């Protein structure tokens, strides 16, 4: 439900980080409530420059041999990284730029206008907010966000922000293209898992969900003391992410944090918990976090794709047979989202809760 400036959460003086930065002259230190207990060895500046596999998706339209080698490259990226970058993805750079522009315009609106979409309920179809999970007490994070359901379109389109005036139209076009891209990638992942090419797509049900999360991370005077976004894995199957050219994404691999460079015009694709579950643990959803910098605001736009809200999430039966046991207990997708989004600990704790044995 939309809130006003008088509602609880905003009454506490938390008007979002962008507002805070813009209304504090010459901020030299991060306010205490944003200082996070980041372990010494995991400070953002200690991350190693990393590069994730780059996959030319044009290969999927090529002759058989090229198509199979592209599928193979995707499945090894899924097994070894859980993250990869795609080029030749078929989405016009001008549309990506336009999407970034309307998202930036949204965050630049006066606070009162953005507040129309403020909500603390993680299941609300449209939510503007700040930090991480403001319903529970915890230190704040250096980001504001706008999240909303995208697909199925008719269920939420009328609720999307109508300001800036072009937002709905541009977002609709962008999300339609991203939807097609995820079909292409899911097909390749299905084949790589030895499943029917349509297996994953069909597993999502007739009303598979698409959710968009746009993040605004203002420049920050002490980037080593806070985080834009705490370590987490995504709950859906596949997230397709782009940003405004300012780096800030870090991924955890073998207990080490790596910075993922920003390459405009490409997308970073990552597997979420749904795919870890569906693959019966063969592929892992990888923890990642958003870090901030002293120089410039970063905007990122991630689009997650998962099953229908009332779908039962469980491993694909051919993959259970392969391993002779199921690694996860079945759970209704919306219950899983709720569990994952309301925990303060994040990381992969929600996924660990549904594992059938703790040694997986
Ligand atoms: O800003 C980023 O690069 C990461 C965003 C993200 O992980 C998310 O919205 O789930
Ligand atoms: Fe994420």
């Amino acid at each position: 439900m939309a809130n006003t400036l008088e509602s609880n959460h905003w009454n506490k003086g938390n008007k979002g980080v962008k507002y805070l930065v813009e209304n504090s002259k010459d901020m030299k230190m991060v306010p205490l409530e944003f200082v996070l207990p980041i372990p010494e060895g995991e400070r953002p500046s200690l991350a190693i420059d990393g590069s994730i596999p780059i996959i030319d998706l044009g290969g999927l339209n090529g002759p058989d041999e090229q198509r199979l080698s592209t599928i193979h490259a995707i499945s090894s990226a899924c097994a070894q990284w859980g993250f990869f970058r795609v080029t030749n993805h078929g989405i016009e750079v001008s549309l990506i730029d336009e999407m970034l522009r309307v998202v930036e315009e949204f965050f630049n609106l006066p606070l009162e206008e953005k507040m129309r979409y403020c909500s603390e309920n993680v299941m609300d179809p449209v939510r503007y907010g700040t930090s991480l999970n403001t319903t529970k007490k915890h230190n704040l994070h250096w980001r504001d966000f706008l999240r909303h359901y995208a697909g199925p379109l008719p269920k939420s389109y009328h609720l999307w922000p109508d300001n800036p005036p072009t937002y709905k139209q541009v977002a609709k076009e962008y999300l339609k293209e991203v939807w097609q891209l995820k079909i292409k990638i899911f097909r390749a992942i299905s084949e790589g898992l030895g499943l029917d090419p349509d297996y994953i797509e069909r597993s999502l049900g007739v009303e598979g969900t698409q959710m968009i999360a746009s993040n605004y991370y203002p420049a920050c005077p002490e980037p080593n003391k806070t985080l834009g976004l705490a370590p987490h894995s995504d709950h859906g199957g596949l997230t397709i992410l782009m940003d405004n050219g300012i780096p800030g994404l870090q991924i955890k691999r073998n207990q080490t944090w790596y910075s993922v460079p920003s390459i405009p015009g490409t997308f970073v694709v990552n597997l979420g918990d749904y795919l870890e579950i569906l693959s019966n643990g063969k592929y892992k959803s990888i923890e990642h976090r958003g870090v901030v910098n002293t120089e410039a605001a970063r905007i990122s736009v991630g689009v997650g794709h998962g099953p229908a809200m009332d779908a039962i999430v469980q491993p694909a039966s051919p993959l259970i047979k392969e391993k002779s046991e199921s690694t996860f207990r079945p759970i209704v997708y919306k219950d899983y989202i709720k569990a994952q989004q309301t925990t303060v600990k994040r990381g992969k704790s929600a996924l660990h809760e549904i594992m059938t044995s703790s040694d997986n």
Side-chain angles (χ1 to χ4, degrees):
M1 202 171 90
N3 280 331
T4 69
L5 274 174
E6 309 313 316
S7 75
N8 297 339
H9 155 52
W10 299 87
N11 256 352
K12 290 178 207 145
N14 188 354
K15 297 186 165 69
V17 197
K18 187 171 187 289
Y19 183 92
L20 173 78
V21 170
E22 287 170 358
N23 291 280
S24 325
K25 260 209 188 113
D26 256 356
M27 190 195 279
K28 297 253 175 356
M29 282 161 69
V30 163
L32 220 56
E33 61 271 31
F34 288 91
V35 175
L36 294 167
I38 305 168
E40 185 72 10
E42 297 194 27
R43 273 183 311 189
S45 61
L46 295 178
I48 297 171
D49 284 340
S51 57
I52 51 178
I54 300 186
I55 313 254
D56 177 347
L57 287 184
L60 292 175
N61 308 324
D64 256 8
E65 202 179 317
Q66 193 186 7
R67 205 180 75 78
L68 290 176
S69 89
T70 308
I71 289 174
H72 180 72
I74 292 175
S75 71
S76 31
C78 289
Q80 288 163 29
W81 288 84
F83 263 86
F84 52 95
R85 185 184 301 282
V86 293
T87 60
N88 261 319
H89 42 67
I91 302 185
E92 296 285 341
V93 174
S94 56
L95 182 58
I96 298 175
D97 288 346
E98 243 188 303
M99 185 63 199
L100 276 166
R101 192 173 46 75
V102 291
V103 166
E104 182 166 18
E105 281 174 16
F106 174 83
F107 285 112
N108 284 340
L109 291 172
L111 186 63
E112 289 75 5
E113 178 65 22
K114 291 183 282 191
M115 288 296 299
R116 291 173 50 210
Y117 307 99
C118 168
S119 154
E120 302 254 4
N121 180 352
V122 296
M123 300 313 280
D124 272 351
V126 179
R127 298 177 64 217
Y128 164 68
T130 188
S131 193
L132 182 64
N133 164 19
T134 45
T135 58
K136 296 204 175 134
K137 194 169 160 35
H138 67 97
N139 292 30
L140 298 175
H141 292 71
W142 205 260
R143 83 155 175 162
D144 299 335
F145 66 84
L146 170 69
R147 303 175 72 104
H148 61 80
Y149 289 165
L153 195 64
K155 285 207 173 148
S156 68
Y157 184 70
H158 60 290
L159 301 171
W160 296 7
D162 45 23
N163 212 348
T166 48
Y167 179 85
K168 282 170 94 162
Q169 190 51 44
V170 173
K172 182 176 164 192
E173 186 62 27
Y174 178 74
L175 290 162
K176 191 177 84 188
E177 294 289 314
V178 171
W179 181 271
Q180 292 308 318
L181 176 58
K182 75 93 195 191
I183 293 179
K184 204 187 289 184
I185 300 173
F186 267 156
R187 286 182 71 88
I189 294 178
S190 277
E191 273 196 78
L193 281 169
L195 301 168
D196 185 82
D198 289 333
Y199 192 98
I200 298 178
E201 198 58 28
R202 272 192 283 113
S203 81
L204 304 176
V206 271
E207 296 217 314
T209 48
Q210 185 185 44
M211 287 187 211
I212 177 166
S214 298
N215 304 299
Y216 189 98
Y217 308 98
C220 171
E222 295 181 293
N224 262 329
K225 293 208 170 151
T226 190
L227 290 170
L229 196 49
H232 67 283
S233 58
D234 295 343
H235 53 71
L238 198 73
T239 303
I240 299 181
L241 179 84
M242 55 92 161
D243 62 33
N244 65 341
I246 307 291
L249 173 66
Q250 296 188 342
I251 65 173
K252 198 175 199 179
R253 193 163 189 251
N254 305 327
Q255 300 312 307
T256 303
W257 285 103
Y258 290 87
S259 300
V260 176
S262 171
I263 307 183
T266 68
F267 291 100
V268 169
V269 175
N270 68 287
L271 307 186
D273 297 344
Y274 178 67
L275 227 63
E276 177 163 342
I277 297 168
L278 182 126
S279 70
N280 203 20
K282 193 166 182 172
Y283 295 162
K284 304 275 188 248
S285 61
I286 297 297
E287 274 188 73
H288 52 286
R289 65 184 185 181
V291 305
V292 292
N293 72 84
T294 53
E295 303 298 318
R298 172 163 189 261
I299 295 175
S300 67
V301 179
V303 185
H305 302 89
M309 283 293 166
D310 53 5
I312 294 172
V313 169
Q314 57 193 337
S317 42
L319 302 180
I320 297 177
K321 283 192 201 112
E322 213 172 78
K323 202 174 167 185
S324 77
E325 62 169 4
S326 174
T327 308
F328 301 95
R329 282 191 300 277
I331 183 169
V332 176
Y333 185 52
K334 73 171 166 260
D335 294 339
Y336 185 72
I337 296 183
K338 225 180 281 177
Q340 198 245 21
Q341 298 270 301
T342 48
T343 168
V344 164
K345 248 177 85 215
R346 288 288 165 104
K348 291 182 70 170
S349 55
L351 193 68
H352 292 149
E353 284 293 310
I354 60 162
M355 281 185 164
T356 49
S357 84
S358 53
D359 52 18
N360 284 299

